[in-house]
Amino acid sequence: MPETRPADPAAPWEYTLYIPNDLRAVTVSRRTLRLILTMHGLIRLVDTAELIAAELVSNAVRHTKGPAALRVRWAAGVLRVGAWDADPEPPEPPGKWASLAEAEAEEGRGLALVRACADVWGWQPLARGANRGKYVWCDLVAA
């Protein structure tokens, strides 16, 4: 049996989960993210990271027609959660909620929630060969 050593908690790591354009992917992404963070001892970030991942992945599968991916990266005390999709159009910037009804709406509040929960968020266009798309991400500082 190979020798196993405890992982260095400060060592950087990254996971990518490729998902189909299917709303069930939101649940798969949340559960996968919970498992990743639990296995790396980052339980204190699970609830916020799950909310953010669900919003990003939901946007990716609802507003695009192609495949998507959830990417989770840990480095230097910062957790980056992001979603890639095949649509190169930038995300609609999050607005401020003008009323309680807007804040409690079922749709249209995703990036506003991400902005409220994350320390930093952003997006960038991506192109590989003939494939184009975007990556929407946010950072959670573990302090």
Side-chain angles (χ1 to χ4, degrees), residues 45 47-49 51-52 55 110-121 138-141:
L45 297 177
D47 292 335
T48 303
L51 174 65
I52 288 169
E55 293 298 337
L111 285 180
L113 281 172
V114 169
R115 182 183 65 188
C117 293
D119 294 299
V120 178
W121 82 277
C138 68
D139 289 346
L140 297 173
V141 178

Side-chain angles (χ1 to χ4, degrees), residues 82-107:
W84 168 83
D85 65 53
D87 183 2
E89 290 298 313
E92 193 72 30
K96 300 221 183 231
W97 296 315
S99 68
L100 181 60
E102 285 180 6
E104 293 178 351
E106 288 291 320
E107 292 186 11

Side-chain angles (χ1 to χ4, degrees), residues 3-142:
E3 182 182 338
T4 58
R5 293 182 215 154
D8 177 0
W13 48 260
E14 182 176 313
Y15 295 87
T16 302
L17 175 65
Y18 294 95
I19 54 178
N21 191 290
D22 184 330
L23 283 175
R24 292 174 289 194
V26 176
T27 301
V28 171
S29 296
R30 285 180 72 155
R31 290 182 180 167
T32 302
L33 177 62
R34 178 174 283 277
L35 180 60
I36 291 167
L37 296 180
T38 300
M39 296 302 293
H40 283 281
L42 296 171
I43 301 212
R44 65 192 176 282
L45 297 177
V46 167
D47 292 335
T48 303
E50 266 191 320
L51 174 65
I52 288 169
E55 293 298 337
L56 295 178
V57 171
S58 177
N59 284 348
V61 297
R62 284 184 179 188
H63 302 295
T64 67
K65 300 215 183 296
L70 172 68
R71 186 169 149 198
V72 184
R73 181 180 72 183
W74 171 260
V78 177
L79 180 70
R80 176 164 285 184
V81 178
W84 168 83
D85 65 53
D87 183 2
E89 290 298 313
E92 193 72 30
K96 300 221 183 231
W97 296 315
S99 68
L100 181 60
E102 285 180 6
E104 293 178 351
E106 288 291 320
E107 292 186 11
R109 60 189 180 122
L111 285 180
L113 281 172
V114 169
R115 182 183 65 188
C117 293
D119 294 299
V120 178
W121 82 277
W123 78 279
Q124 61 196 59
L126 294 178
R128 286 191 180 150
N131 297 326
R132 296 184 51 165
K134 69 177 166 299
Y135 179 62
V136 181
W137 55 269
C138 68
D139 289 346
L140 297 173
V141 178

